[in-house]
Amino acid sequence: RQAGMFLHTIASRLGTLESMRQRPDQPERDAPAGAWWVGYEARFTRAAAQVDALFVLQSPEGAFVLEFRAIVITLEDGTSLTWPPEARP
């Protein structure tokens, strides 16, 4: 339910995602062990945004696992949309 509301918020405020590319300047953010923040520049039909996504690259047991953990979409006016809601922009 919360994920659906988040996607609806993105669609209503920004429109449809048209393009996204990895930023050359990667974000300096704290991440749990085995995780990595990746920064993107995104173009939606109604706005541009900076997108930072947190991926887990490996489990504590050492097996390679790729897991999406969080996303922070920062709009041109400085406001952020985050998933999950408790993620820190």
Side-chain angles (χ1 to χ4, degrees), residues 8-77:
H8 177 73
T9 299
I10 292 171
S12 64
R13 287 185 69 181
L14 307 176
T16 304
L17 180 65
E18 294 182 329
S19 66
M20 188 162 26
R21 68 181 181 140
Q22 193 169 345
R23 290 195 321 253
D25 62 320
Q26 290 303 304
E28 293 290 327
R29 293 177 175 238
D30 290 333
W36 181 42
W37 282 100
V38 180
Y40 300 92
E41 295 173 348
R43 166 61 62 197
F44 294 84
T45 51
R46 290 194 288 277
Q50 299 288 314
V51 177
D52 296 311
L54 179 63
F55 296 96
V56 176
L57 302 179
Q58 103 178 228
S59 70
E61 297 82 30
F64 183 79
V65 176
L66 183 58
E67 172 189 333
F68 170 75
R69 175 94 33 106
I71 188 168
V72 179
I73 302 172
T74 305
L75 308 175
E76 291 176 325
D77 67 2

